[in-house]
Amino acid sequence: MGAAAVAGAGGLVALPVTRADGGTRDILVELTVVALLVLVAGLVSAMSVLVPVALLLVGAVYAVQLVRDDAPADAAAPAFAAGLLVVAELAYWSLDERDRVQGERGDGLRHLAYVAALGVAAGLVGAVLLAVGDAVRTRGLGIDVAGAVAAALVLLVVVLAGRARGGPGSAGR
């Protein structure tokens, strides 16, 4: 799974690097090399703290391309975000496999299906949010409240998902 995570990260940065102008492209290539090296180092040395650093750098490649080339966020943004989530899941799965004993038959396929479904769901949610954000160009208290409620719901989903996977604070695990 580690190789899939590195390949996925490399695939993600390919889009902004190929869209970038000449001077920006050089910066992005250097940032990409650093991001991939940090990810590989984290996976090889089993230092899970390096995974989010690598993902931050991969996201920075996309952000730098948008800022430097003065490009608006486009339809690729939700796919890029979903790809980051899938890369993170694959990287952490790779790290988990080092310590885990052999599971039941089919566990790998179920986990792979979970990661794929998570990526698709993240892409769909991102696309809907991008469409809603593009469609709603109003200001005022109502929009601010709706945004705060949406952010709270996203946080709730993240907390519930973390508890379901046995994250910190989960009961009985």
Side-chain angles (χ1 to χ4, degrees), residues 60-107:
V61 171
Y62 184 71
V64 167
Q65 186 267 319
L66 291 177
V67 170
R68 292 281 304 232
D69 293 344
D70 198 25
D74 57 359
F80 194 88
L84 274 176
L85 180 63
V86 169
V87 168
E89 282 290 327
L90 292 173
Y92 284 117
W93 183 8
S94 173
L95 293 173
D96 285 347
E97 289 295 313
R98 291 173 169 238
D99 300 329
R100 188 173 301 172
V101 295
Q102 193 70 358
E104 291 182 27
R105 186 174 179 179
D107 278 349

Side-chain angles (χ1 to χ4, degrees), residues 1-103:
M1 289 306 126
V6 173
L12 284 175
V13 294
L15 174 69
V17 168
T18 56
R19 291 194 312 191
D21 292 339
T24 304
R25 184 174 293 126
D26 295 338
I27 294 168
L28 297 183
V29 168
E30 292 171 4
L31 192 55
T32 295
V33 169
V34 172
L36 295 177
L37 286 175
V38 169
L39 182 58
V40 168
L43 295 173
V44 170
S45 67
M47 292 180 61
S48 61
V49 70
L50 293 179
V51 172
V53 173
L55 295 174
L56 176 72
L57 292 170
V58 169
V61 171
Y62 184 71
V64 167
Q65 186 267 319
L66 291 177
V67 170
R68 292 281 304 232
D69 293 344
D70 198 25
D74 57 359
F80 194 88
L84 274 176
L85 180 63
V86 169
V87 168
E89 282 290 327
L90 292 173
Y92 284 117
W93 183 8
S94 173
L95 293 173
D96 285 347
E97 289 295 313
R98 291 173 169 238
D99 300 329
R100 188 173 301 172
V101 295
Q102 193 70 358

